[in-house]
Amino acid sequence: MATDVHGSVTDEEEEIGAVGLRKEQRAVRAASGAAVQVDGLVRAFGGRAVLDELQLDIQTGEFVALLGRSGCGKSTLLKVLAGLDRDIEGEVLVPRRKAVAFQAPRLMPWKRVWRNVLLGLPGRPERDTAVRALEEVGLGHRVDAWPKTLSGGEAQRASLARALVREPDLLLLDEPFGALDALTRIKAQQLVAELWQERGCAVLLVTHDVEEALLLADRALVMEDGRIAYETTVDLPRPREISDPGFGALRARLLERLGVAGAQSTAPAHSPADSSTDRAAEAA
Amino acid sequence: MVPVSGRRRVVPRWVRRTVGPVALVVLWQVLSATGVLEGDILASPGTIAATAGDLVSDGTLPSAMLVSLQRVAVGLVLGGVAGVVLALVSGLSRLGEDLVDATVQMLRSIPWVGVIPLFIIWLGIGEAPKIALISLGVAFHLYLNVYAGIRGVDAQLVEAGTSLGLSRWGLIRHVVLPGALPGAMTGLRYSLATAWLALVFGEQVNADDGLGFLMNQAREFFRTDVIVVCLVVYAILGLIADFLVRTLERLLLQWRPTFTGQ
Ligand SMILES: Nc1ncnc2c1ncn2[C@@H]1O[C@H](COP(=O)(O)OP(=O)(O)O)[C@@H](O)[C@H]1O
Ligand SMILES: [Mg+2]
C-alpha cells in the first residue's frame, strides 16, 4: 500500500511496523501492483511549471529508467518521490520505505563509512548490519575508512549500501553513475542489476545515458515539457548485451525521441521480430 | 653524463633559518655591552636572561602568570559559552537569526578594545572589567565563525540526511554541528589570540597582580628587562595555546584529509 504525499504532507502516518506487517503491506501492494502512483503532479518554480500534470506509475519490483534532457525536471521529480520536496500539487503515492542515491555520493565526511551506512536507521542498528551491506557492494575492506579517502567508485558504492540497508520498496537513483569513469561505471551498473534482482524492489533510475537505461530497465521513460512524453518497454533478455539485435533499434528510437539527430546510423536495422513494444504516452 | 643528484651538500634549512635571529641577538648584546644601547632604552639579552631567572626563582613570575592565566581561562569559558550559544540560536533558527545576528552584526563595527572605559565605569577596576573584555573578544570571534560554519554546511548533505530519515534534531546532531566544527575550530584559534590581546589591554587597567601589573610596575622604574621578560612570556603562552588548539583540531577533525599528515 502506497503512502500519501498528497500536496502538503500527509505522509508518515503509516507504522514502520514489524517485518510481518511489512510483508502484508507488500502483498497488498503486489495485489494492487503499484509501487508508485503519480497523478496530475505539478511543481512550479517561480511560476514556471517544471513538472506539469505529470502522470507516472511504477509497478512493484519494476525497474524504470527515466531519460530526458538536462534541466527537464528529472531530479525535481525524483525529489518529490523521495518526499524531499512537498511543495507540490497533485497526487503522489509512494511506499513508506524508500531510499535515494544521488549523483554525488553525499556521504557525511565526518562519519566513518560504516556509520554513514547506518545513519538515520531506526533503533540501535549493529555495526554488523553495515558490514554486511558494505560487503554486498564489495566494500567490506573499507568499512572503517573516512569517506574522503574513498575513490569515486567506492564512495558511490558506499552510498548505494547506505540506500540498500534501508531495505527500500522503492529505490531512487539520480544519475548515480554519471561521475564515474567508464570502467567503474560498467561495474557499478552490473552491481545495481544484481542487487535489484536479489532485492526485487522497484527502482527509478534517472539517467542521461540511453545505453545504461536499456541495460538495466524494464521500461524506459522520456521526459519532456514537464511530463512523461514517451515510454517503451525494454523487452530484452537478461543479462543484457549491447550487441543484442533488439538493443540497437531501441537505442535509435530513444535517441531520436531525445532529439539526437543522426544517431540512428550506428544502430542495426530494425527487425520486425523485435520483441520490444512501445507506446507513446498520451500527453493529455 | 650528469649525475641526477647533482646537488651540492648544503647547510640544512633550519640552520640557515636560525642564523638571522641569532645574529640579531648577538648584535643586540654587542651594542648593549659597548654602551651604544642604554639599559633604560632596552636591556641587554644577558641582563634579560638573568632577570628572568631571578623572577622565576623568587616566585614573582610564576604567581603573576597564574593570575593572568586564570583571567584568560575564565574569560575564555564565559565568552566561549556565550559565543557558541548565541551562534547556535541564530544559526539553527530563523527567529534567532533575526533577533541575534542583526544585533551582533551591528555591534561588530565597534572596536571591542574601545569599550574599556565603559567597562571600567560599569564594573570598576577589579577583575570584572578584565574578564569582561576577554569574554567579549572571545565571544565575538566564536560567534562569527560558528555561525558562518553552521550556515555554510552543505545543503546537499542536509538533503541527504533528510532522505535518510533523520529528524530535525538528528540533522543538527549528525550533519549541521559536525559540519560547523571546522569553522568553530578556526573561531577558537582566533578567539584565543584575541584573549591574549584582551588580557594585555585589560591588565594595563589598574591591575595589582598578573603579568600586566608586572609590566606596569617595571615601566615606573624603567626596568626594560622585566618588560621584555613579560613580553616573552606572553608570546610563549600564546604559542602554547595555539599548539593546544592545533592538537585539538587534529583530534576532532581527523576526517579531513589535510589533517591526516605527520
Ligand atoms: N530549487 C529550485 N529553484 C528554482 N528552480 C529550480 C530549482 N530546482 C530545479 N529548478 C529548475 O527546474 C528545472 C529542472 O531541474 P532538474 O530537475 O534539476 O533537471 P534535471 O532533469 O537535469 O535533473 C531546471 O530548469 C532548474 O533550473
Ligand atoms: Mg538532475
Side-chain angles (χ1 to χ4, degrees):
Chain A
M1 176 165 295
T3 312
D4 201 358
V5 192
H6 187 179
S8 57
V9 195
T10 45
D11 177 277
E12 318 298 356
E13 63 204 2
E14 236 176 68
E15 295 275 327
I16 294 176
V19 179
L21 180 61
R22 263 192 348 101
K23 276 197 179 134
E24 223 170 87
Q25 291 173 350
R26 267 189 179 150
V28 172
R29 195 182 295 132
S32 82
V36 174
Q37 290 177 17
V38 176
D39 198 15
L41 171 62
V42 177
R43 175 60 163 110
F45 293 110
R48 189 171 61 96
V50 170
L51 303 178
D52 191 6
E53 294 287 331
L54 185 135
Q55 196 129 355
L56 171 67
D57 287 310
I58 298 177
Q59 303 304 305
T60 304
E62 189 185 19
F63 198 129
V64 175
L66 178 63
L67 293 155
R69 281 178 224 177
S70 174
C72 74
K74 304 183 296 293
S75 298
T76 305
L77 173 61
L78 191 115
K79 271 183 206 173
V80 170
L81 296 183
L84 294 170
D85 183 355
R86 307 272 166 105
D87 203 2
I88 54 168
E89 285 164 41
E91 197 176 320
V92 176
L93 297 159
V94 289
R96 196 175 194 309
R97 286 184 173 242
K98 45 198 179 295
V100 196
F102 303 91
Q103 173 162 11
R106 301 200 191 179
L107 301 169
M108 308 300 157
W110 41 85
K111 289 188 180 289
R112 291 183 191 274
V113 169
W114 71 273
R115 286 197 184 276
N116 257 290
V117 170
L118 297 185
L119 188 61
L121 279 182
R124 291 189 171 277
E126 300 270 331
R127 183 187 142 98
D128 281 351
T129 314
V131 173
R132 271 196 303 277
L134 285 164
E135 273 166 358
E136 219 178 339
V137 299
L139 268 189
H141 58 298
R142 302 295 267 147
V143 170
D144 288 312
W146 294 110
K148 293 239 160 134
T149 67
L150 299 180
S151 73
E154 286 175 331
Q156 203 50 268
R157 276 184 282 158
S159 160
L160 201 56
R162 184 174 68 176
L164 288 170
V165 81
R166 273 139 244 278
E167 301 194 4
D169 294 321
L170 173 64
L171 179 60
L172 299 160
L173 304 172
D174 193 355
E175 307 196 22
F177 317 123
L180 303 181
D181 65 88
L183 278 177
T184 316
R185 183 163 59 232
I186 292 171
K187 283 193 181 162
Q189 287 167 349
Q190 286 169 349
L191 178 66
V192 166
E194 283 167 23
L195 293 171
W196 168 69
Q197 264 160 353
E198 280 165 28
R199 301 296 187 101
C201 56
V203 179
L204 179 66
L205 169 71
V206 169
T207 177
H208 52 240
D209 182 346
V210 172
E211 289 185 359
E212 180 172 291
L214 294 178
L215 279 172
L216 294 171
D218 296 322
R219 193 154 54 102
L221 315 176
V222 175
M223 201 170 158
E224 222 175 81
D225 299 329
R227 54 188 89 174
I228 309 299
Y230 179 78
E231 68 170 83
T232 176
T233 312
V234 185
D235 212 354
L236 303 173
R238 293 176 190 267
R240 304 244 172 96
E241 298 283 344
I242 296 187
S243 54
D244 192 298
F247 198 97
L250 270 173
R251 179 176 57 185
R253 207 159 349 137
L254 281 169
L255 284 173
E256 191 186 4
R257 277 309 309 206
L258 287 163
V260 184
Q264 292 97 315
S265 56
T266 56
H270 188 285
S271 69
D274 182 1
S275 54
S276 66
T277 58
D278 70 321
R279 53 201 150 97
E282 289 300 306
Chain B
M1 292 284 262
V2 182
V4 179
S5 59
R7 220 156 30 116
R8 283 171 299 133
R9 265 180 65 85
V10 289
V11 189
R13 184 121 191 273
W14 68 268
V15 175
R16 277 186 292 161
R17 287 177 62 86
T18 345
V19 171
V22 169
L24 189 68
V25 172
V26 170
L27 180 70
W28 177 4
Q29 181 66 47
V30 168
L31 289 179
S32 297
T34 53
V36 177
L37 194 59
E38 284 173 38
D40 283 357
I41 305 296
L42 192 59
S44 76
T47 318
I48 290 169
T51 308
D54 292 345
L55 287 175
V56 170
S57 59
D58 72 3
T60 319
L61 192 57
S63 73
M65 268 171 67
L66 200 67
V67 169
S68 292
L69 273 177
Q70 241 163 28
R71 286 178 186 144
V72 170
V74 174
L76 208 56
V77 169
L78 292 180
V81 170
V84 170
V85 166
L86 286 176
L88 290 179
V89 166
S90 67
L92 297 178
S93 87
R94 275 288 137 77
L95 179 67
E97 180 179 17
D98 292 344
L99 293 179
V100 177
D101 195 57
T103 318
V104 175
Q105 299 298 340
M106 185 192 75
L107 293 176
R108 195 182 163 175
S109 48
I110 300 171
W112 53 272
V113 184
V115 302
I116 294 180
L118 268 185
F119 277 3
I120 293 175
I121 292 174
W122 293 342
L123 303 168
I125 50 170
E127 285 302 283
K130 300 173 185 60
I131 289 173
L133 189 69
I134 296 171
S135 305
L136 185 71
V138 168
F140 245 103
H141 279 291
L142 265 179
Y143 173 84
L144 293 175
N145 283 282
V146 174
Y147 175 72
I150 290 176
R151 283 302 150 106
V153 169
D154 189 350
Q156 293 207 331
L157 291 184
V158 177
E159 194 178 66
T162 314
S163 83
L164 294 173
L166 289 177
S167 62
R168 183 172 161 74
W169 166 238
L171 282 175
I172 291 172
R173 196 170 98 109
H174 296 291
V175 185
V176 176
L177 294 186
L181 199 57
M185 295 312 290
T186 310
L188 185 59
R189 190 122 48 87
Y190 277 123
S191 60
L192 265 174
T194 307
W196 292 121
L197 210 59
L199 179 74
V200 176
F201 280 117
E203 288 192 334
Q204 306 295 317
V205 181
N206 255 34
D208 43 18
D209 49 8
L211 287 171
F213 167 70
L214 220 55
M215 279 174 91
N216 268 349
Q217 206 183 27
R219 189 194 62 210
E220 311 252 317
F221 299 100
F222 292 92
R223 290 289 303 272
T224 54
D225 52 345
V226 177
I227 293 178
V228 173
V229 168
C230 289
L231 287 177
V232 170
V233 170
Y234 275 134
I236 290 174
L237 290 179
L239 284 178
I240 291 175
D242 201 54
F243 170 78
L244 290 179
V245 177
R246 279 173 198 281
T247 308
L248 196 64
E249 270 188 351
R250 248 203 302 279
L251 286 176
L252 292 178
L253 304 181
Q254 40 176 314
W255 48 271
R256 292 216 301 201
T258 33
F259 282 100
T260 55
Q262 308 230 323

